[in-house]
Amino acid sequence: MARAVTNQRKTVNTVVAWAIGLLIFFPVLWTVLTSFKTEAEAIADPPLFFFFNWTLENYSVVQERSDYMRYLWNSVVIAGCSTLVGIVVAIPAAWSMAFVPSRRTKDVLLWMLSTKMLPAVGVLYPIYLIFIELGLLDTRVGLVIVMMLINLPIIVWMLYTYFREIPGEILEAARMDGAPLRNEIVYVLTPMAVPGIASTVLLNFILAWNEAFWTLNLTAAKAGPLTAFIASYSSPEGLFYAKLSAASTMAIAPILILGWFSQKQLVRGLTFGAVK
Amino acid sequence: MRLKTTICAASALALFAATGAYASSHTTTVTIATVNNGDMIRMQGLTEDFTSRHPDIALEWVTLEENVLRQRVTQDIATKGGQFDVLTIGTYEVPIWGKNGWLVSLNDLPAEWDADDLLPAIRSGLTVDGELYAAPFYGESSMVMYRTDLMKKAGLEMPEAPTWAFIKEAAAAMTDKDGGIYGVCLRGKAGWGENMAFLTATANSFGARWFDEDWKPQFDSEAWSDTLNFYMDLMTEYGPPGASTNGFNENLSLFQQGKCGMWIDATVAASFVTNPKDSTVADSVGFALAPDNGLGRRGNWLWAWSLAIPAGSDATDAAKKFITWATGKGYTELVASKEGWANVPPGTRTSLYQNPAYLEAAPFARMTLNSINAANPTQPTVDPVPYTGVQFVAIPEFAGIATLVGQEFSAALAGQQTVAEALEKAQALTADEMEAAGY
């Protein structure tokens, strides 16, 4: 039986939810607003919210100074390819762990996750040296490999959780009908886990898009994605907050739009299996 | 006839393609790692002048935040990554990296580049054992920037070379906390290039030093105690709230909004605070030399952002051509013709300060030159020291140690510990680190 909720309670809940939502969204809103101000207005005290001389000058300066499309393309390739390769590698791994677990499966899963606990800077030099040897520095291929590897534990974990919700009997039935392993994964398991796979893809795409440590350390002039684009507008000597905000807005806009359109899929996937 | 036309067209196309292929195979790419500041950005916008003179050289830019750039470049040089052909580095790195053999000597730049025209203080900071390892792009010192209107209202007149006692007196007279005006704004944010740059330079004028001639830390000296106590008193009584998190940008913002009576910081700030587009007090800013205590050393620093070539670069000749262009006299004239004399990179060449057009356009020019000339990186302190560098000690360990010391001093400014405790911790941690480093 559902609990009765009074109107007053509903109003309070709504106000609190909106307040928390706005609080979380405020930094993004402020960045977007600042991007339309002059540098002097950006540092004005008291701060100017909506009543200032709206200008597109910062966007035109940023566009003039930087090759935005090149950074954007690098971000798309690095985030997209690393996610796709990661999914292809992770689906069989998660399948085996979910449907044919061994005594050590839990340990393996924990070990995979433990690699995320190591500070990235701890392995920077070995990876940098390997990249020099293999000629992968400042290449998109190199970053795709690194992004895929650092996100792989999360992909496997998420897929494993979704696969565990799928009754093993269905796969067993497919096997009894003579489906080989490949067909069982491709035609039976994958379609049933689409919401989970979709949310995994989206989340990992976002993680790879926002990753800044490796993308700043392993790139120079050619393979830098949008994180490098933003970093190039940070200045310790000189107030360029409005331009930095314009660059940040241009960098987060594609992923915000993607998140906006796919939020249903993302939420559905993330809550998949939460209610039985 | 049709066959002939086809053959001709095909030949022309082949020739065109071959020429293109030849051109691209003979183009040398120079990758330049740089920081995001006004002068560097301006240079990027003017590189067409260079590429039109050198069509066989293509330029690629990597712009990074200062600390990220430092880390990236160090990492690349130490591992021989070969990612960059030209580096933008500071006065701290040049002597250390030059000594390590990480940089290419620039002694053989063409005669018309005129090395003798460089300001002596700047040149000596970039030279190791007679070899010039970096070409200065712009140089800076520190000085007092003050509000002429508030000074007048306080009934005081700023001397050209003030003492610390006068700064305190003026700060007290200009402070109007109810009106949101603070007598003095100084760096408080922790970091070797933040509060420690200011405090090390200030300590020089109080007779303090980082190390004695045997590399023993000197934070237990009376001179350091005087330095830090003076700084704390000044900031606590006349500084803005939350000063322990203020760096260059935060103080620039406060000054531009008219909230600081005085600001002692980099000379490069002069062009920002006098720019009416960004500053609300542009028409009432005066300049003076950094203060002293009559001990023969002023509290100003010396810094130059310079261009250098890493030893692992495979485009050394092209990189030298670029550096010759970017740091030569011709570049100054190019900026002047495109954007006016007030915007040329300051603080590197004597000839610039003999140019009447520049002196007229830049009211801060004379003070910048005097400030740079007042700094002596080879003898920075009152008592003798085994190191060079004015606001830093040119040893590789300094950045790490000074950042830790800066955190202790910043914590004292935030009221989390006393001056005595901060100095005691600074002494202990510096002694430990230096011992571990084998000094």
Side-chain angles (χ1 to χ4, degrees), chain A residues 154-220:
Chain A
I154 296 174
I155 304 181
V156 171
W157 259 91
M158 285 182 77
L159 290 179
Y160 167 76
T161 316
Y162 299 133
F163 288 177
R164 291 262 294 171
E165 299 301 324
I166 293 167
E169 291 78 9
I170 298 177
L171 300 184
E172 217 173 288
R175 242 170 278 152
M176 285 176 74
D177 284 344
L181 181 61
R182 197 178 73 89
N183 289 359
E184 179 191 322
I185 292 179
V186 174
Y187 296 114
V188 182
L189 175 68
T190 308
M192 288 174 70
V194 159
I197 293 174
S199 65
T200 309
V201 166
L202 283 169
L203 191 70
N204 280 279
F205 189 83
I206 292 167
L207 285 176
W209 186 279
N210 291 335
E211 205 285 330
F213 179 79
W214 293 106
T215 48
L216 285 182
N217 275 291
L218 299 178
T219 64

Side-chain angles (χ1 to χ4, degrees), chain A residues 7 44 70 83 109 111 139 166 170 220 230 266:
Chain A
N7 276 343
R70 194 191 68 195
T83 304
L109 275 167
W111 169 76
T139 62
I166 293 167
I170 298 177
I230 299 179
L266 196 60

Side-chain angles (χ1 to χ4, degrees), chain A residues 110-188:
Chain A
L110 200 66
W111 169 76
M112 285 186 76
L113 205 62
S114 72
T115 58
K116 294 291 291 177
M117 296 167 195
L118 179 76
V121 72
V123 287
L124 173 61
Y125 271 80
I127 290 188
Y128 201 87
L129 291 170
I130 291 169
F131 266 49
I132 293 172
E133 285 300 313
L134 299 178
L136 289 173
L137 270 184
D138 200 21
T139 62
R140 289 192 291 246
V141 173
L143 279 179
V144 166
I145 294 169
V146 166
M147 289 293 136
M148 188 273 284
L149 288 175
I150 62 170
N151 284 336
L152 198 58
I154 296 174
I155 304 181
V156 171
W157 259 91
M158 285 182 77
L159 290 179
Y160 167 76
T161 316
Y162 299 133
F163 288 177
R164 291 262 294 171
E165 299 301 324
I166 293 167
E169 291 78 9
I170 298 177
L171 300 184
E172 217 173 288
R175 242 170 278 152
M176 285 176 74
D177 284 344
L181 181 61
R182 197 178 73 89
N183 289 359
E184 179 191 322
I185 292 179
V186 174
Y187 296 114
V188 182

